[in-house]
Amino acid sequence: MAIISFDRDAVVDYIPEYGGNRESIDPCVVRLKFVPYSRVQHYSRLIAARAKGLSDPQKVTEVSQHVQKNQFVENVESVSGYYVGEREVTDPAEFYETADTDLVVEIIKAMESHSRLTEGQRKN
């Protein structure tokens, strides 16, 4: 059986499992790009380069978090069905800043994993 992956430029509608969202009538949908292993390594090298020479664990954590946010914002096109109060948030950066940690981590793991991304892909 062949293995078929996502094109790195293709945008995929991903429905997070977080909080029973997939079973919702009107779920939150995150439009994102698949991040292949080579790109994950790129982000890892960025962290290593920027953390080189840092001895303060807090500074290393800040570098890692900054690169992770960049990865998220670069690969999430838009969000729909996510609200802060009564206002819908569609911007990836604002979503990253306001969403629950578990939700953000789920989305990052999905963008880095073909099987997770396929599992949460919007069915037509």
Side-chain angles (χ1 to χ4, degrees):
M1 182 167 125
I3 297 174
I4 301 171
S5 189
F6 293 98
D7 181 315
R8 66 189 284 172
D9 294 323
V11 178
V12 178
D13 286 351
Y14 176 76
I15 301 174
E17 187 172 21
Y18 176 85
N21 181 60
R22 285 191 190 150
E23 289 75 41
S24 174
I25 293 169
D26 191 22
C28 172
V29 178
V30 180
R31 294 184 46 81
L32 56 84
K33 295 178 186 174
F34 174 64
V35 179
Y37 182 69
S38 62
R39 196 73 181 146
V40 172
Q41 290 301 305
H42 166 75
Y43 292 117
S44 295
R45 286 189 299 273
L46 280 176
I47 292 169
R50 292 179 183 174
K52 187 175 183 177
L54 296 178
S55 58
D56 182 359
Q58 183 176 351
K59 295 282 187 195
V60 173
T61 299
E62 288 173 9
V63 165
S64 179
Q65 289 171 343
H66 179 73
V67 171
Q68 182 185 61
K69 181 179 180 181
N70 284 347
Q71 175 185 346
F72 189 91
V73 172
E74 287 174 5
N75 295 291
V76 172
E77 292 287 315
S78 65
V79 180
S80 63
Y82 175 76
Y83 293 84
V84 174
E86 293 184 19
R87 184 177 57 82
E88 184 173 22
V89 172
T90 59
D91 178 64
E94 187 176 1
F95 178 89
Y96 185 90
E97 293 294 333
T98 60
D100 186 274
T101 301
D102 291 340
L103 178 55
V104 171
V105 169
E106 177 187 345
I107 293 166
I108 291 171
K109 287 181 178 180
M111 72 175 56
E112 294 178 352
S113 169
H114 176 271
S115 61
R116 287 184 187 179
L117 186 54
T118 300
E119 186 178 289
Q121 195 170 5
R122 174 172 256 175
K123 310 297 186 260
N124 290 330

